[in-house]
Amino acid sequence: MFVGIDVSKSRLDMHLRPSGEEWSVSNDEQGHAELVSRLVGDGPELVVVEATGGYQATIVAELTVRDVRVAVVNPRQVRDFAKATGRLAKTDSIDAAALAHFAEAIRPEPRPLLDGHTQELQALVTRRRQLIDMRTGEMNRLETCRVERVRKDIQKTIAWLTRRIGQVDD
């Protein structure tokens, strides 16, 4: 059995191959418990989820620690695969089916979970990039702002963001 899980902020949509069974659960503790109990009991060969900016991290970890083979894949690869197989529509259930088909046909290699220190470093690097993007936006706004009161507020925000970037760097 191959499982595709389409992950969104509030919901997980599953599709099983070859049976075609589909169901959804909430993307929270209760939904995760339901999903894990169903999948651990069924013993899938492979579960595939897309990298979705972190929304997939908890369910991937919960399945992995229960020895379920999970591959986190690039969404573009799955979308290209779906297009190549004639699936042009895009809904959560169609995406879950495409992920299950991708799992069965391509069989991407599951990777072990990153250790805690590596996860923390990745999170800090991501946060640093976010802070830099915010500071760049504020600097761009400062260039075009002509109201002195607002300019001072923007300058304070830039100074605060610069301090935060330094703290993350430390």
Side-chain angles (χ1 to χ4, degrees), residues 126-143:
T126 298
R127 183 61 182 153
R128 182 179 190 279
R129 185 174 45 251
Q130 292 166 345
L131 290 167
I132 288 171
D133 289 346
M134 286 186 271
R135 183 177 64 183
T136 301
E138 288 294 283
M139 292 169 80
N140 291 339
R141 282 183 277 287
L142 183 62
E143 286 180 16

Side-chain angles (χ1 to χ4, degrees), residues 27-90:
N27 192 359
D28 58 19
E29 278 187 50
Q30 183 178 353
H32 292 184
E34 181 183 335
L35 172 63
V36 167
S37 70
R38 283 185 80 169
L39 289 184
V40 168
D42 291 340
E45 182 163 335
L46 180 64
V47 175
V48 170
V49 302
E50 291 178 331
T52 57
Y55 291 123
Q56 81 287 351
T58 303
I59 193 61
V60 168
E62 289 180 23
L63 290 168
T64 302
V65 299
R66 289 171 179 81
D67 295 323
V68 175
R69 293 171 31 92
V70 181
V72 180
V73 298
N74 183 317
R76 183 188 46 75
Q77 290 177 311
V78 177
R79 190 70 194 131
D80 290 347
F81 176 83
K83 286 179 184 176
T85 59
R87 293 179 193 222
L88 302 178
K90 187 161 173 35

